Amino acid sequence: MAKKEKTKKDAQLIVRISKAERDAFVELCEELDTSAAREVRRFIRDFLIRHEDGDTAGETKAK
């Protein structure tokens, strides 16, 4: 299996959420053996894919 080329992470996104939400999210990520940053990056990648063709309704693309 070919290795996926890694991209340099050179930007930050600051998001304000409540401390309770942040703590619950971080705790759940730890329980699932992942990191909060990894899950936020995964959300952003998936979101961009879902909307890459100008889909503003949020529907997933047919595969």
Side-chain angles (χ1 to χ4, degrees):
M1 182 175 358
K3 277 191 169 183
K4 185 177 178 182
E5 184 177 323
K6 291 190 176 190
T7 57
K8 184 177 180 185
K9 297 171 185 80
D10 59 356
Q12 291 183 337
L13 175 66
I14 298 172
V15 179
R16 292 196 174 272
I17 60 173
S18 73
K19 183 175 182 341
E21 285 178 322
R22 180 215 176 265
D23 291 347
F25 182 65
V26 170
E27 183 177 335
L28 180 57
C29 287
E30 288 174 356
E31 289 174 13
L32 297 173
D33 195 28
T34 188
S35 71
R38 179 180 298 139
E39 296 308 318
V40 171
R41 285 191 299 268
R42 183 188 333 237
F43 168 79
I44 291 170
R45 281 192 305 270
D46 292 347
F47 187 85
L48 290 172
I49 290 168
R50 280 197 322 264
H51 297 282
E52 67 186 359
D53 291 332
D55 176 19
T56 57
E59 297 176 17
T60 57
K61 292 175 54 174
K63 299 201 187 231

